[in-house]
Amino acid sequence: MDKSSLKRTRMRYRRERRFKLFCLSALVLAGIILVVFFADIISKGYTAFWQAQIKVEASYTQDVKEMPFLAVGEEVSELVSRSWFRGLPRKLNQNPELLGTSQTQWVLADGAVDQYLKDKPNGLSQKEKDLVDRLQEQDRTRLAFNTYFFVNGDSNLPESSGIFSAAVGTVYVMIVTMAFSLPTGVLTAIYLEEFAQDNWLTRSIEVNINNLAAIPSILYGLLGLAIFINYVGIPRSSALAGGLTLGLMSLPIIIISSRAALRAVPDSIREAAFGVGASRWQVVAHHVLPMSIPGILTGSIIALAQAMGETAPLLLVGMMAFIPDAPSGFTDAATVMPAQIYTWSSAALRPYAERTAAAILVLLAVLILLNLTAVLLRKRYERKW
Amino acid sequence: MTLEYLVLLFCGGLIPLAYAAHYLGRRRAVADMRQGERLNSPPSFYGWYVIVWMFLPALAASAVFAVLQMVGVLSVPLPVVLVGFLVLVAGGAWLGLHRVHASLRARKIVEGVIRWLLFIATCISIFTTVGIVLSVIFEAIKFFNMVSFWEFITGTTWSPGSAFLEGAGRGGEQATEAQFGSVPIFAGTFMITFIAMCVALPVGLLAAIYMAEYAGQTLRGVAKPALEVLAGIPTVVYGFFAAITVSPLVVRLAESIGLEAAYTNALAPGMVMGIMIIPFISSLSDDVISSIPQSLREGSFALGTTRSETVKQVVLPAAFPGIVSAFLLAVSRALGETMIVVMAAGLRPNLTWNPLEGMTTVTVRIVDALTGDLAFDSAETLSAFALGLTLLAVTLVLNVISAVVIRRFKQQYEM
């Protein structure tokens, strides 16, 4: 081999290595982004799972019913959350035996105190900071597990706001979504795969479904607003309006995955059933459908996860309202987890930022769990024919 | 009457009734069989036959009734409706039960009903499309009655100005004329989409090439699920990431090199949107690249090429249509993406080439116009539907082109 061709070969090999490195670095970059993303959200959100509390000497005199602020000493009353004071009159009315007694107890601290104890920017004055420091030395402050976050609804006080009403709203919306889209989607898939003849109508329905799958979600919001709310008259912000909108949105996903599951059942099974005299519906209901249930379930869970994380169409049907109490029906005003995240992220008060990140963590955990279930289901029941 | 009550009524009342009807119909058929007659269909189909008789007339009647009620031709108090419904159910069941006899072709009839049911379910997807198109078009037409189509398409100023005041019921107080020129909005949309594609296309495509051509089983086993996790993250979360982490970072970086950047700059949402689309591009391209026949690669290797030369000169040109179609789908997804831009991009339409300035997008304007307290028939609210119509048209065109391209590609390699 002469020198120049040797040189060229070397150059080509160098180029080969460079290209491979290039491609690998793209993959690594995607991985790094994923890690940075999760690290960022976790580092912002994990502190919200602990909440500051202050030990106070609360004396329940008759006056407290009128002016709850009197329950604790004037000095610390600035540091205690106003939500605790708000609840006092009712608590005393329900438990009259408490009147006239006094208790030493841990109560929820103000949001600013909470942020100060977590070394985050806060609105405390120097005097208040000194006071908190003094309380800390006396072991009268602590960061306890934040149960409020899971049992409270939204609130205009960051320290007592939680995800409960949003979580219940999400459950309601998902019930409507799945109750609508799962049967409709599976029936459509059965029709297209097993019953429909191959004619222009069927083909145009297929094209239509594929197009629906690619329509931006916000346009479903426009549909929900114009038709469900303005025309049919379903109450705005209700779980019913949101659920139906999301149901239409997840319909194409369910149809496409169910069709794939039905198609995966080999024809020999159908032919055997026809051979012993089964009708078309009997073939489907007794043989094809049971065999494709794992595939249909997998697709449905993925559609559910997608619908659960969707926000844009729900904003348009009004599901970003301030909802402090969990909805008790399908037509009540409700909000959902992603909408709650959106509302909190645009709130001006700083302590909401960590709650936003914490709500994101909860949502992501649920979604990843759902997707994992789908993957495991597919692995466990996947059949090769 | 609330919805919960209806659901309860349905589950508590109609399902047991249907069960009873099924039982009676089946028993009648079986009784015939015991007398030595030959049944035309399996016994349970006679039960279903009675159920069909029980519900079909009642449902048809209530559907007609609901339409009449909605149009406003007649209004009957609810108890009357309920009683009428129950009478129809009972009458239907009685009639159906009397028609059951051994030679009745119950299976064929029930099958026909099922077929229609399936067909109706299928039609819902068509109704959805029609619904989206109609709801957008009707409101958009109202908008174009107020604002000329030409001004909407070519105008360069978007200032709803007094339209806002009219919507709030204070029209004519301040007579700044409302202008609805959508060019700056579309410019912002395309700018952010362009930034997103600049991030997503190289990273996604190169990652796909590595996974399809170089990676071993183990790496694929890790990388694919990781990318799926990236794809499963809700967009509102990306929006939070863009607004809280990436935007300030961009501003600080720009300051450090002496540039001025707004917190609502287009770069941050664009980049995060790109991250969101990476898994979309990489999984589609991975599928396309993997579907290129192995023989093409082997032919190329036989000529003594290195792997990268094969990829660049054989595989990629062959996969090009597929990659183009993936790219178009990704663009249509970026154009319609809402939450990231709502949370991280600006609200003010701004016609500029500078990605560090704040600019707004179509989806932001839609959300902004429809979540305010404006009257539903104000020009600004209706402008959301005109923007939605444009968005729908653009995404549909992109999807159709992409579908045509991928079909050609599939035919070529007989996938």
Side-chain angles (χ1 to χ4, degrees):
Chain A
M1 212 188 273
D2 63 89
K3 231 174 180 173
S4 72
S5 73
L6 196 71
K7 210 171 140 193
R8 213 167 59 227
T9 312
R10 280 216 189 101
M11 207 176 70
R12 284 176 54 207
Y13 279 172
R14 255 206 312 281
R15 238 187 248 150
E16 161 71 24
R17 278 195 299 275
R18 210 183 312 142
F19 184 76
K20 187 174 173 182
L21 200 71
F22 235 59
C23 294
L24 182 63
S25 58
L27 200 60
V28 170
L29 181 68
I32 290 175
I33 289 172
L34 191 64
V35 171
V36 167
F37 173 81
F38 272 96
D40 182 58
I41 301 284
I42 291 173
S43 72
K44 284 206 166 74
Y46 79 99
T47 48
F49 293 111
W50 284 269
Q51 188 73 30
Q53 294 181 332
I54 301 182
K55 199 193 247 174
V56 294
E57 178 80 25
S59 48
Y60 301 119
T61 57
Q62 190 64 40
D63 297 337
V64 170
K65 274 192 189 175
E66 310 300 322
M67 298 178 68
F69 290 94
L70 296 176
V72 296
E74 198 184 330
E75 201 184 18
V76 287
S77 75
E78 283 291 299
L79 303 181
V80 174
S81 166
R82 273 182 289 148
S83 68
W84 185 72
F85 290 122
R86 275 183 203 166
L88 269 187
R90 219 179 68 201
K91 186 178 164 192
L92 289 184
N93 281 334
Q94 279 169 358
N95 311 297
E97 73 277 6
L98 281 177
L99 268 180
T101 63
S102 67
Q103 291 177 332
T104 307
Q105 62 183 129
W106 288 101
V107 298
L108 186 60
D110 191 74
V113 175
D114 176 59
Q115 295 296 295
Y116 177 64
L117 287 177
K118 288 170 183 166
D119 281 332
K120 293 193 171 180
N122 54 76
L124 288 184
S125 66
Q126 192 54 47
K127 209 178 112 202
E128 288 167 328
K129 281 180 187 167
D130 291 340
L131 181 59
V132 177
D133 286 338
R134 224 170 43 241
L135 289 177
Q136 203 169 7
E137 275 163 29
Q138 296 165 2
D139 272 340
R140 283 177 63 190
T141 63
R142 70 172 181 190
L143 287 174
F145 182 72
N146 192 355
T147 44
Y148 308 98
F149 185 66
F150 295 98
V151 300
N152 283 6
D154 197 4
S155 159
N156 55 359
L157 298 170
E159 65 270 18
S160 69
S161 61
I163 55 170
F164 183 67
S165 59
V168 173
T170 293
V171 171
Y172 273 109
V173 171
M174 287 305 121
I175 288 174
V176 176
T177 301
M178 283 335 249
F180 170 74
S181 63
L182 188 59
T184 318
V186 173
L187 291 182
T188 304
I190 290 175
Y191 181 77
L192 290 177
E193 273 310 306
E194 308 287 333
F195 283 84
Q197 279 127 14
D198 187 26
N199 55 21
W200 66 271
L201 184 64
T202 314
R203 273 197 299 274
S204 58
I205 291 175
E206 276 172 20
V207 170
N208 179 40
I209 288 169
N210 288 334
N211 272 333
L212 271 184
I215 283 182
S217 61
I218 190 165
L219 292 177
Y220 285 94
L222 289 181
L223 164 92
L225 181 63
I227 292 188
F228 292 146
I229 293 180
N230 284 344
Y231 192 68
V232 181
I234 296 172
R236 209 174 145 85
S237 336
S238 66
L240 186 62
L244 285 178
T245 309
L246 288 187
L248 287 182
M249 200 194 78
S250 42
L251 199 54
I253 311 171
I254 292 185
I255 294 175
I256 291 170
S257 60
S258 303
R259 285 189 72 181
L262 290 171
R263 210 176 305 140
V265 177
D267 268 343
S268 55
I269 300 218
R270 292 185 187 86
E271 280 152 13
F274 280 130
V276 294
S279 68
R280 204 164 264 281
W281 174 250
Q282 284 175 312
V283 171
V284 173
H286 298 169
H287 303 283
V288 181
L289 196 57
M291 281 174 182
S292 53
I293 275 180
I296 292 174
L297 268 185
T298 311
S300 307
I301 291 174
I302 289 170
L304 178 74
Q306 200 161 339
M308 204 180 261
E310 192 58 65
T311 326
L314 296 181
L315 294 187
L316 297 193
V317 297
M319 300 200 75
M320 51 175 278
F322 174 72
I323 311 284
D325 295 312
S328 56
F330 289 101
T331 46
D332 284 1
T335 189
V336 290
M337 285 293 287
Q340 183 73 75
I341 290 169
Y342 173 65
T343 343
W344 276 349
S345 77
S346 48
L349 287 168
R350 274 222 53 113
Y352 279 116
E354 67 169 27
R355 285 181 183 254
T356 314
I360 285 176
L361 288 178
V362 173
L363 182 64
L364 281 181
V366 173
L367 292 186
I368 290 175
L369 210 67
L370 276 178
N371 282 318
L372 216 64
T373 319
V375 170
L376 287 181
L377 211 67
R378 188 163 49 197
K379 277 234 169 85
R380 172 80 178 71
Y381 291 102
E382 196 175 44
R383 267 168 96 165
K384 288 266 186 285
W385 302 92
Chain B
M1 182 154 67
T2 60
L3 182 81
E4 288 82 37
Y5 190 62
L6 267 177
V7 170
L8 201 73
L9 191 79
F10 187 76
C11 298
L14 295 184
I15 289 180
L17 267 180
Y19 198 82
H22 184 272
Y23 173 77
L24 288 177
R26 189 175 189 276
R27 201 180 63 169
R28 241 183 124 84
V30 171
D32 273 5
M33 190 174 71
R34 293 254 162 77
Q35 286 168 4
E37 285 185 72
R38 207 181 122 79
L39 284 188
N40 172 282
S41 314
S44 103
F45 275 92
Y46 292 94
W48 284 107
Y49 176 79
V50 179
I51 292 183
V52 166
W53 263 101
M54 184 169 145
F55 283 119
L56 224 49
L59 280 180
S62 44
V64 169
F65 181 79
V67 169
L68 288 181
Q69 184 103 330
M70 221 147 93
V71 178
V73 177
L74 77 174
S75 66
V76 180
L78 244 145
V80 178
V81 177
L82 217 63
V83 168
F85 185 78
L86 284 179
V87 167
L88 272 177
V89 164
W94 185 80
L95 241 163
L97 208 55
H98 273 262
R99 292 174 69 100
V100 169
H101 54 87
S103 61
L104 179 79
R105 300 171 75 189
R107 188 169 82 168
K108 197 166 160 46
I109 296 167
V110 171
E111 195 110 326
V113 172
I114 288 175
R115 212 188 156 93
W116 272 103
L117 258 174
L118 294 177
F119 184 69
I120 290 170
T122 309
C123 288
I124 288 180
S125 80
I126 295 196
F127 291 146
T128 310
T129 315
V130 173
I132 289 180
V133 172
L134 284 189
S135 64
V136 174
I137 282 185
F138 269 124
E139 309 294 340
I141 286 176
K142 279 191 214 160
F143 174 74
F144 288 126
N145 280 338
M146 300 186 209
V147 179
S148 84
F149 181 72
W150 190 245
E151 188 201 322
F152 177 73
I153 291 291
T154 58
T156 53
T157 350
W158 181 282
S159 61
S162 62
F164 161 71
L165 289 170
E166 267 168 45
R170 291 190 289 142
E173 260 180 42
Q174 275 171 342
T176 52
E177 203 188 336
Q179 281 181 298
F180 289 97
S182 63
V183 170
I185 296 178
F186 283 99
T189 309
F190 285 118
M191 170 65 91
I192 290 179
T193 305
F194 176 74
I195 297 169
M197 296 327 280
C198 284
V199 174
L201 189 65
V203 178
L205 190 56
L206 289 178
I209 291 174
Y210 192 86
M211 286 209 292
E213 300 288 332
Y214 291 102
Q217 275 302 318
T218 19
L219 185 62
R220 268 183 87 92
V222 177
K224 274 216 132 171
L227 282 172
E228 271 172 36
V229 168
L230 211 52
I233 294 173
T235 53
V236 67
V237 178
Y238 279 119
F240 179 74
F241 184 62
I244 301 286
T245 307
V246 182
S247 258
L249 200 70
V250 169
V251 171
R252 237 180 297 146
L253 275 178
E255 265 169 14
S256 70
I257 55 171
L259 289 172
E260 201 178 312
Y263 273 96
T264 53
N265 61 67
L267 203 56
M271 288 194 312
V272 174
M273 201 188 279
I275 293 173
M276 183 196 87
I277 291 174
I278 289 173
F280 191 72
I281 290 210
S282 79
S283 78
L284 284 178
S285 318
D286 188 13
D287 290 347
V288 169
I289 293 172
S290 310
S291 71
I292 301 293
Q294 196 59 28
S295 56
L296 254 64
R297 291 189 190 86
E298 280 156 7
S300 165
F301 289 146
L303 294 175
T305 59
T306 62
R307 208 168 252 282
S308 66
E309 282 160 349
T310 305
V311 168
K312 277 186 261 185
Q313 286 160 20
V314 177
V315 176
L316 281 188
F320 188 68
I323 293 170
V324 167
S325 124
F327 175 76
L328 291 179
L329 279 183
V331 168
S332 96
R333 176 165 284 211
L335 289 177
E337 171 47 42
T338 311
M339 288 323 288
I340 296 177
V341 281
V342 166
M343 292 166 85
L347 279 175
R348 195 171 59 84
N350 186 2
L351 192 58
T352 171
W353 286 106
N354 182 359
L356 294 177
E357 280 183 39
M359 48 182 90
T360 197
T361 71
V362 174
T363 48
V364 174
R365 291 305 325 165
I366 294 178
V367 169
D368 191 49
L370 291 178
T371 51
D373 295 324
L374 296 175
F376 195 75
D377 52 358
S378 78
E380 190 178 1
T381 313
L382 292 177
S383 74
F385 288 90
L387 290 171
L389 179 64
T390 335
L391 185 63
L392 179 68
V394 173
T395 37
L396 277 187
V397 167
L398 284 175
N399 290 338
V400 169
I401 296 176
S402 154
V404 170
V405 172
I406 196 83
R407 193 177 319 136
R408 292 251 172 89
F409 170 75
K410 277 184 180 170
Q411 275 165 359
Q412 200 173 349
Y413 295 106
E414 284 160 3
M415 274 163 73

